[in-house]
Amino acid sequence: MGIRRLKILLELSRSGSMRAVADLMGTTTSTVSQQIAMLARESGAALLEPAGRGVRLTPAGRRLADRAVATLAAVEAARADLDPEAEPAGTLRAAGFATAIRRNLIPIVNEVALSHPAMKIVVHEHEPAEALALLLADEVDLALTYDYNLAPARGHQELDVLPLWSAAWGLGVPADAAAEAGGNAAQVFDAFRGHDWIGNSRNQADEEVLRVIGSLAGFEPRMRHQADSLDLVEDLILAGMGIGLLPADRTPQAGVAIVALTGPEVRLRAYAQTRRGQNSWPALRLVLARLTRGAR
């Protein structure tokens, strides 16, 4: 149903006169009559009935006019929410990987709670493929994702991508075996070619990186285990069950060492992704500005 026609019906219910509605809305009684007739066709119900020399709303017309109050209020609220100059308000839904949520989003959540109480941020933890699927399905407004320089993610032309930060990753190994490794990345991998390897249970990019460097060393890593948690990767290493990628700046628990990878290096790259054309929404624009500031 047309919003303008609902507004005409509401004004008619209040004034009881087509002439009064026409004067209020700067149009003619003929136009008011035509708009009400079109609304009747859209709703599938008779909205007016004769009353002496004029007309009055039918019971169906009065019910629709009552509902129009809430409908028009919701439309005005939505327009205000989408106004690029409006105060950030509403609920922003974000999905992303744990590190970016902790590092980038939680400080913004805390700031927004104080500076913009009419705005809320809802957080869902997901690996990149999961977060992007939610974003493309319009189930979230912001996706915090990552890829690796050796396993770049495929882009989506319907999304805008904001690079946030990058971080070096190394190879997590038993501390007493770290002395065996030296040289470039391929040489480090070659020193552990007989070991089992640990991949990510929810993101194949980790395994792609391991296979790329393994191929440079002339072998394919034997992928035996998968873990989403970095703490679990360390536990598996300590248990002698395998080796795997870990952030180079991580402080591992006793018994685990992180060997640097160079030539080629391994870098995780973090991004904020949004649906194209949505960045003018004040709430999303505010969060993206804060993310950009944090990245700098």
Side-chain angles (χ1 to χ4, degrees):
M1 301 179 192
I3 296 300
R4 184 167 184 268
R5 289 190 278 279
L6 282 175
K7 189 174 293 186
I8 288 174
L9 179 70
L10 180 59
E11 294 301 336
L12 182 59
S13 73
R14 290 169 172 169
S15 68
S17 164
M18 287 196 179
R19 167 55 59 190
V21 174
D23 292 343
L24 178 67
M25 303 194 71
T27 186
T28 64
T29 54
S30 175
T31 298
V32 170
S33 177
Q34 291 172 2
Q35 292 295 305
I36 295 295
M38 292 178 66
L39 185 60
R41 289 195 294 272
E42 290 173 343
S43 64
L47 303 178
L48 299 179
E49 60 185 6
R53 294 186 177 183
V55 294
R56 65 187 176 192
L57 268 60
T58 64
R62 289 195 297 273
R63 288 198 302 274
L64 184 57
D66 289 342
R67 289 185 175 273
V69 174
T71 300
L72 293 170
V75 169
E76 289 305 312
R79 283 177 176 161
D81 190 36
L82 297 174
D83 180 359
E85 303 305 320
E87 185 72 10
T91 299
L92 185 146
R93 306 158 298 167
F97 65 108
T99 301
I101 290 173
R102 293 192 188 102
R103 174 174 173 170
N104 300 97
L105 197 56
I106 294 300
I108 297 173
V109 172
N110 294 333
E111 176 189 340
V112 163
L114 295 174
S115 61
H116 298 87
M119 177 180 161
K120 304 296 180 186
I121 299 177
V122 175
V123 175
H124 306 268
E125 192 224 331
H126 287 283
E127 285 293 304
E130 301 162 348
L132 286 176
L134 292 172
L135 181 63
L136 291 167
D138 195 19
E139 294 184 28
V140 298
D141 309 296
L142 169 69
L144 299 176
T145 65
Y146 70 87
D147 67 4
Y148 292 98
N149 60 321
L150 299 183
R154 179 177 66 88
H156 296 270
Q157 63 180 7
E158 57 266 60
L159 300 180
D160 288 324
V161 181
L162 172 67
L164 295 178
W165 47 268
S166 68
W169 277 51
L171 185 63
V173 303
D176 57 8
E180 303 173 15
N184 60 31
Q187 292 169 324
V188 170
F189 270 47
D190 186 58
F192 295 98
R193 67 164 58 219
H195 288 65
D196 291 336
W197 296 70
I198 306 165
N200 188 318
S201 60
R202 294 162 60 198
N203 187 357
Q204 294 300 307
D206 294 62
E207 292 188 14
E208 289 182 35
V209 171
L210 295 176
R211 289 194 169 96
V212 165
I213 301 179
S215 69
L216 296 175
F219 75 101
E220 182 172 351
R222 188 168 57 238
M223 307 302 304
R224 284 292 177 85
H225 310 288
Q226 292 183 326
D228 176 46
S229 163
L230 296 179
D231 290 334
L232 181 54
V233 172
E234 289 193 16
D235 290 341
L236 292 172
I237 294 171
L238 281 174
M241 299 177 69
I243 57 178
L245 296 174
L246 288 171
D249 61 357
R250 181 180 175 88
T251 302
Q253 54 188 302
V256 176
I258 301 175
V259 180
L261 298 173
T262 59
E265 68 173 348
V266 176
R267 295 198 71 84
L268 180 145
R269 306 178 297 190
Y271 308 94
Q273 302 201 49
T274 56
R275 291 186 304 281
R276 186 151 295 168
Q278 301 300 310
N279 295 357
S280 61
W281 177 34
L284 183 56
R285 190 176 70 231
L286 172 68
V287 170
L288 290 174
R290 297 299 187 272
L291 289 171
T292 301
R293 186 177 69 186
R296 288 175 180 169

